[in-house]
Amino acid sequence: MAQDVNANDNVVSTARKGAVAVLTLQSGPVNALGTALRQGILAAVEAAEADAAVKAIVLIGGGRMFSAGADITEFGKPQSGISLPDLLNRIEASTKPVVAAIHGNALGGGLETALACHYRVAVPSAKVGLPEVKLGILPGAGGTQRLPRVVGPRKALDVIVGGSPIGAKAAAAMGLIDELAPEDSLRAHAVAFAERVVAEGRPLLKIRDRDDKIAEGRENPGLFAAFREENARKTRGFEAPEACIACIEAACRLPFDEGLAFERAEFQKLVSGTQSAAQRYVFFAERQAAKIPDVPDDTPARPIARVGVIGAGTMGGGISMNFLNAGIPVTIVETKRDALDRGIKTIRTNYENTAKKGRLKPEDVETRMGLLTDTLELEKLAECDLIIEAVFEDMGIKKEIFSKLDTIAKPGAILASNTSYLDIDAIAAMTGRPADVIGMHFFSPANVMRLLEVVRGEKTAKDVIATAMQIGRKVGKIPVLVGVCHGFVGNRMLAQRQREANRLILEGVTPWDVDRVVYEFGLPMGPFTMSDLAGLDIGWSRETNKSESVRDLLCEQDRRGQKTSAGFYDYDAKRKATPSKVTEEIIAKVAERQGVKRRDATDQEILERTLYPMINEGAKILEEGKAIRASDIDIVWINGYGWPVYRGGPMFWADTIGLPKVLERLRAYEAEYGEDFKPSALLERLAAEGKGFKDL
Ligand code: T1G
């Protein structure tokens, strides 16, 4: 009969099952290993060790998981109590076998704790991993030294530098988990496992003593250089990945305790750096984005059993895939059969390509396609609970569609537009149900990019907002609530960058230099590469455009971007870009015609003139209440445009520069270029008060 023997500040409760002490972690939603929990575990382990009647110990998570690792909120603050590495060394040194019993997540310090135990059992649905690299740090409690000793350095590199969780079955196959337990009897199974260890007199397996697996790293030191090369593009600009690799290398050449010291030093460097501060900020900012002051978390969402998508083009197809992936049936509508067939074919091809890469089972392709109904009749959307319009970016067409939807859609259906810029209130006014109208702006490719801008109209109902935010998360997006204005948050700020980039090339800076500076800053591509990828002819027409701008002239020469093998750049058959003399001549001609004063610009000026106006626009967005918080703007830019997460987003980055400095530069450019650089009142106020956007 289990009974509570003692509880340490109720973060760890100890119960006895015969000769086994079961220590249950119960601290907050994720058993984060903060000071109180570390102290609680230490006291409970020492008490169990001192109890002669106890022959073995089981460590198990209360609530929904084993542990999400160290308490991220403690970083950057003075540490108190026993450190996690010291606690884990203490557990490993236990004179009695300690068995970790894992369900839910064992991540970061949570998995490191399990690795310090002598044995590990888990339920099949459990996930383990070392995601510290995603916070700009590394497993700082022995993970870089113990994991390679269990799975070998090559696999450890994937786990630690990749940072993704591993299912318990795969972890068991790697030797990380000793035994899988039935889903509904983890605790009993772990106790029985511990009893067997005692009864069979099994050794106290300390991972620190295992050298067999790390021999791979000594015999083949080239594996590290090869890994660095394979991952160079993905880890470009990040500091943590290299530190992780160095620690795993150290595990293969240093005695365990020296390896621990090496890991500790590397951890301290990272955790005190700006990249980790930025990435930890983003971790919490992503969760903050879900919180809407006037829409309580428990606002009931409308049930969404079927989704209608109007438009089977690139966006409509990608949007449909999001819901199909989540097992939600979709009815997709087009006006012409060939467009509809093309759209369906593209969806199938996308799935089949994913299956070819082994990331989707063939039967799942059919399951997903089986959930897709295609039709030429808008009326078929009458059965849908959420209808997303994803047609050409033309207000007239959208108004006409919403007017029709108002007569077709069932009462309570949510009517959403995927518009990238346009006025949701004007669209809503075409219906008798503006409270049911909202914007759901997906980013291309819609089935890949995680950002979803949810655009609340003046009259949008709160439960409609709650539904859009929840269904967005359900289909794997990061929804950010924004207000109605031209371009909402992301594209409104992008327009600032584009305007300055266009001005810079007329002054004589080449498009390739502008792109290089923005790319080297950490964005996935510069403005002109991005324009060529999207296509220069969006919204352009030979009839209406008057051949004034560089873009007009490029389109006139059929240089419409990658799709025509020429835009700002020339492209070869593999779409490799090379600077184009034709473009430079066009730019010179337009500059002369407009009488633009030619001048050079340093890389720093290029960076300031393309990115500082974005910060200024972000401040205006906050002033106008079109974003709830500065960190939402950062989440938009990280997940919608690839802003380097290690810089935290444009508003976080502005704070690291210091708003007085940003303001001073904006004023200098305002003196030369006028209104476009006029600082926002909010930015002036914060700078004057010595504050940052983080203080809002
Ligand atoms: N520390 C502090 N708070 C945390 C936390 C953590 N490790 N993990 C989650 N929270 C908060 C989160 O902010 C939210 O708060 C609530 O818990 C629920 O989280 C030494 C140095 C485990 C997959 O990176 O990935 O160990 O918003 O909404 O969706 O080597 O939480 O409710 O106020 O995310 O079910 C490494 C981080 C730490 C894992 C669960 N560990 N957490 O997802 O819930 S560093 C991680 C997650 C470390 C050692 C190193 C997820 C989850 P609020 P949630 P969820």
Side-chain angles (χ1 to χ4, degrees):
M1 172 66 179
Q3 72 279 347
D4 268 1
V5 173
N6 77 330
N8 314 82
D9 306 324
N10 71 33
V11 287
V12 177
S13 72
T14 301
R16 281 280 298 287
K17 289 287 284 177
V20 177
V22 180
L23 311 187
T24 303
L25 314 184
Q26 40 198 34
S27 175
V30 298
N31 289 325
L33 292 157
T35 303
L37 186 52
R38 295 197 304 274
Q39 290 301 120
I41 294 170
L42 177 64
V45 166
E46 289 184 336
E49 265 208 307
D51 181 342
V54 169
K55 303 300 178 203
I57 299 166
V58 165
L59 204 52
I60 190 168
R64 55 197 175 94
M65 66 183 75
F66 182 75
S67 168
D71 183 340
I72 306 170
T73 63
E74 286 187 351
F75 294 139
K77 296 173 190 159
Q79 179 200 299
S80 58
I82 186 170
S83 74
L84 191 56
D86 291 347
L87 173 64
L88 302 194
N89 288 337
R90 178 69 189 77
I91 291 172
E92 192 175 51
S94 165
T95 55
K96 300 175 181 177
V98 183
V99 177
I102 301 169
H103 76 295
N105 291 295
L107 298 176
L111 176 57
E112 290 175 300
T113 299
L115 289 173
C117 297
H118 306 104
Y119 297 94
R120 287 155 293 282
V121 298
V123 293
S125 60
K127 286 190 169 41
V128 300
L130 294 172
E132 289 88 339
V133 70
K134 293 181 178 176
L135 297 171
I137 45 182
L138 53 79
T144 67
Q145 306 304 305
R146 289 192 174 93
L147 187 70
R149 284 175 165 79
V150 179
V151 303
R154 185 62 191 78
K155 278 209 183 79
L157 285 166
D158 287 335
V159 173
I160 293 171
V161 179
S164 300
I166 311 163
K169 285 182 185 159
M174 294 161 93
L176 257 181
I177 301 291
D178 297 296
E179 196 168 277
L180 291 174
E183 289 291 350
D184 57 359
S185 59
L186 172 61
R187 182 192 174 100
H189 192 93
V191 168
F193 185 97
E195 286 166 343
R196 279 205 317 276
V197 168
V198 175
E200 294 164 9
R202 283 202 219 168
L204 295 187
L205 293 178
K206 295 180 184 178
I207 290 175
R208 64 166 54 226
D209 299 333
R210 292 172 55 175
D211 269 348
D212 53 319
K213 292 279 189 180
I214 51 174
E216 177 195 7
R218 282 197 286 272
E219 288 150 16
N220 174 19
L223 73 88
F224 296 103
F227 184 86
R228 284 186 175 95
E229 197 178 327
E230 280 160 36
N231 290 277
R233 201 170 58 79
K234 198 168 57 177
T235 60
R236 175 174 74 93
F238 286 91
E239 293 163 357
E242 175 49 37
C244 291
I245 296 168
C247 287
I248 297 165
E249 259 178 331
C252 297
R253 62 181 164 76
L254 297 176
F256 185 82
D257 286 324
E258 286 179 40
L260 271 188
F262 183 92
E263 174 194 272
R264 199 82 206 134
E266 289 299 310
F267 175 82
Q268 290 303 347
K269 272 190 264 178
L270 290 175
V271 80
S272 53
T274 48
Q275 288 202 358
S276 178
Q279 290 176 247
R280 299 194 312 265
Y281 159 82
V282 170
F283 173 84
F284 291 112
E286 275 185 8
R287 287 152 180 81
Q288 270 298 312
K291 303 195 189 310
I292 302 162
D294 66 334
V295 180
D297 288 353
D298 59 0
T299 304
R302 295 184 189 178
I304 305 292
R306 175 173 283 275
V307 172
V309 175
I310 306 174
T314 309
M315 289 308 286
I319 291 169
S320 300
M321 289 176 71
N322 290 317
F323 295 95
L324 297 173
N325 295 345
I328 299 171
V330 171
T331 300
I332 190 165
V333 176
E334 256 296 353
T335 48
K336 296 194 183 67
R337 173 48 62 186
D338 63 335
L340 189 53
D341 292 346
R342 213 169 28 250
I344 301 292
K345 186 169 181 303
T346 304
I347 293 173
R348 174 174 285 280
T349 305
N350 284 340
Y351 281 140
E352 286 171 351
N353 289 341
T354 306
K356 279 185 200 136
K357 293 174 196 155
R359 293 208 302 265
L360 194 61
K361 296 192 203 88
E363 56 270 29
D364 289 342
V365 174
E366 297 317 318
T367 304
R368 284 167 167 74
M369 294 308 292
L371 290 171
L372 182 60
T373 305
D374 59 275
T375 176
L376 295 173
E377 296 164 53
L378 207 58
E379 291 67 24
K380 283 281 177 61
L381 299 184
E383 60 200 26
C384 295
D385 311 289
L386 166 63
I387 299 169
I388 302 173
E389 164 272 313
V391 301
F392 190 63
E393 193 70 351
D394 174 284
M395 183 55 107
I397 299 174
K398 293 182 187 297
K399 283 185 172 179
E400 190 187 332
I401 286 175
F402 275 77
S403 173
K404 285 183 188 160
L405 282 180
D406 195 30
T407 61
I408 293 168
K410 67 183 179 183
I414 293 174
L415 311 181
S417 171
N418 173 55
T419 179
S420 313
Y421 287 87
L422 302 176
D423 184 339
I424 292 293
D425 293 327
I427 291 171
M430 300 310 292
T431 74
R433 50 174 116 181
D436 295 340
V437 178
I438 194 165
M440 290 180 77
H441 175 211
F442 292 83
F443 282 69
S444 186
N447 55 310
V448 174
M449 296 304 282
R450 295 187 68 201
L451 178 63
L452 171 64
E453 278 185 326
V454 175
V455 190
R456 78 183 292 174
E458 202 58 45
K459 300 194 172 86
T460 304
K462 292 185 178 182
D463 69 327
V464 170
I465 294 169
T467 307
M469 297 294 282
Q470 285 185 30
I471 194 92
R473 279 192 293 278
K474 184 170 180 181
V475 299
K477 301 301 174 190
I478 296 181
V480 178
L481 190 66
V482 298
V484 173
C485 57
H486 190 71
F488 314 129
V489 169
N491 285 341
R492 176 170 162 181
M493 292 168 70
L494 181 68
Q496 293 296 315
R497 187 184 82 176
Q498 199 55 49
R499 185 204 59 241
E500 279 314 301
N502 293 337
R503 191 194 321 245
L504 278 160
I505 61 173
L506 291 179
E507 292 178 350
V509 178
T510 65
W512 354 117
D513 275 339
V514 175
D515 280 356
R516 172 183 55 77
V517 168
V518 172
Y519 177 80
E520 286 173 354
F521 175 78
L523 279 128
M525 61 187 81
F528 298 102
T529 305
M530 188 173 175
S531 299
D532 275 356
L533 180 65
L536 302 182
D537 54 349
I538 295 175
W540 176 83
S541 77
R542 199 175 294 279
E543 295 65 44
T544 54
N545 284 64
K546 298 185 284 306
S547 313
E548 280 171 355
S549 71
V550 171
R551 188 194 76 149
D552 290 345
L553 292 177
L554 287 169
C555 286
E556 269 191 17
Q557 295 192 24
D558 249 356
R559 295 178 67 93
R560 299 167 183 235
Q562 277 195 24
K563 60 189 174 188
T564 56
S565 303
F568 281 95
Y569 294 84
D570 292 326
Y571 294 90
D572 67 13
K574 291 200 179 80
R575 295 207 163 191
K576 185 177 177 309
T578 48
S580 161
K581 282 285 172 232
V582 173
T583 303
E584 288 187 11
E585 284 156 15
I586 288 174
I587 292 170
K589 188 159 69 171
V590 172
E592 189 187 356
R593 188 192 305 159
Q594 293 184 11
V596 174
K597 188 160 60 86
R598 310 285 270 175
R599 60 191 287 278
D600 278 339
T602 63
D603 285 3
Q604 180 58 25
E605 179 177 340
I606 293 169
L607 197 67
E608 290 173 356
R609 282 183 51 191
T610 48
L611 301 188
Y612 285 17
M614 284 174 46
I615 296 167
N616 199 34
E617 198 63 26
K620 291 176 187 170
I621 286 166
L622 290 169
E623 278 173 333
E624 297 164 24
K626 303 302 181 189
I628 297 171
R629 48 185 84 85
S631 61
D632 283 4
I633 294 173
D634 289 335
I635 294 305
V636 163
W637 267 84
I638 287 165
N639 294 286
Y641 303 84
W643 182 282
V645 67
Y646 57 79
R647 292 187 193 275
M651 312 312 271
F652 181 93
W653 179 59
D655 283 354
T656 57
I657 296 166
L659 296 192
K661 170 79 174 151
V662 174
L663 179 62
E664 181 260 322
R665 299 307 301 142
L666 284 171
R667 282 185 174 144
Y669 295 123
E670 181 189 18
E672 187 156 357
Y673 297 102
E675 276 294 300
D676 287 338
F677 285 91
K678 183 173 173 18
S680 73
L682 173 62
L683 195 117
E684 289 186 318
R685 174 172 69 77
L686 290 173
E689 293 168 0
K691 291 181 179 168
F693 292 113
K694 66 183 181 310
D695 301 312
L696 287 175

